[in-house]
Amino acid sequence: ALMYNPAIDSVFRFTADEQTRYGNSGFGNSLIVARNLAKANLGARFIQVNIGGWDNHSNIYTAIRTPATQFDRGLGALLTDLSSLPGVQGGGNLLEETLIVAMGEFGRTVRTGGVVGLNQTQGRDHYFNQFAVFAGGGVVGGRAVGSTTDGGGAGQEPGWAQNRQVANEDIAATI
């Protein structure tokens, strides 16, 4: 029944113009489907979109260009579209009703191996702080929670009531 339901089928349809605005990539296409699913209001409570690997232990400035461009274009288009679509719960826009969380399981080191910025293979290693971005869903935008040292290598002020660095479980509790 799902395969032949026109409401479900329409979620997976988009134009070439939309595909171009979202970056013409698998990630961008997935974000269009996510937007369509949120707009259709068919009962989905959680939509996950993955971009793939960011594990850049070497040659980061070569390896990161493609996924970073896909991420910037796709997420930017998603936020723009959701903010221009009417909400489905009786007011505001769809971005106000949709929490966007962009994160990985950890961030990337700022300083490693005695080399400022990069390790010995021109990459960045695992760093378990500064790793999540929230938008929409009632989030107050334009601010960072907490601060780091000038070099970004360590947390300085947590910036929240628990007075400690944010961990994965805190992200889950916030969601």
Side-chain angles (χ1 to χ4, degrees):
L2 286 174
M3 289 178 61
Y4 299 106
N5 183 325
I8 301 293
D9 187 52
S10 68
V11 167
F12 295 95
R13 296 189 185 276
F14 47 86
T15 67
D17 177 59
E18 290 173 313
Q19 190 174 24
T20 299
R21 281 191 315 105
Y22 276 76
N24 202 22
S25 67
F27 176 69
N29 294 349
S30 297
L31 290 177
I32 297 170
V33 171
R35 178 209 60 196
N36 292 350
L37 187 55
K39 180 180 172 184
N41 195 26
L42 297 171
R45 303 315 251 171
F46 176 86
I47 304 165
Q48 179 176 336
V49 176
N50 294 320
I51 194 168
W54 290 80
D55 208 15
N56 303 122
H57 292 281
S58 61
N59 301 317
I60 191 168
Y61 293 116
T62 302
I64 203 160
R65 280 192 170 87
T66 297
T69 300
Q70 291 174 1
F71 181 81
D72 287 348
R73 289 189 71 189
L75 186 60
L78 177 66
L79 294 173
T80 298
D81 283 359
L82 291 178
S83 69
S84 68
L85 292 168
V88 296
Q89 298 178 10
N93 61 55
L94 199 50
L95 181 59
E96 293 169 345
E97 298 177 1
T98 306
L99 178 63
I100 307 291
V101 180
M103 66 177 287
E105 69 274 28
F106 46 74
R108 288 285 165 195
T109 52
V110 178
R111 177 183 292 201
T112 59
V115 178
V116 175
L118 302 174
N119 63 22
Q120 293 82 359
T121 58
Q122 301 302 298
R124 296 185 187 272
D125 297 317
H126 300 174
Y127 185 62
F128 293 96
N129 292 310
Q130 298 105 7
F131 58 88
V133 174
F134 289 81
V139 170
V140 177
R143 66 186 181 122
V145 176
S147 65
T148 65
T149 56
D150 287 343
Q156 189 169 341
E157 291 291 328
W160 68 303
Q162 296 298 316
N163 200 29
R164 62 173 170 72
Q165 295 300 312
V166 173
N168 286 334
E169 59 269 20
D170 300 315
I171 301 294
T174 298
I175 293 169

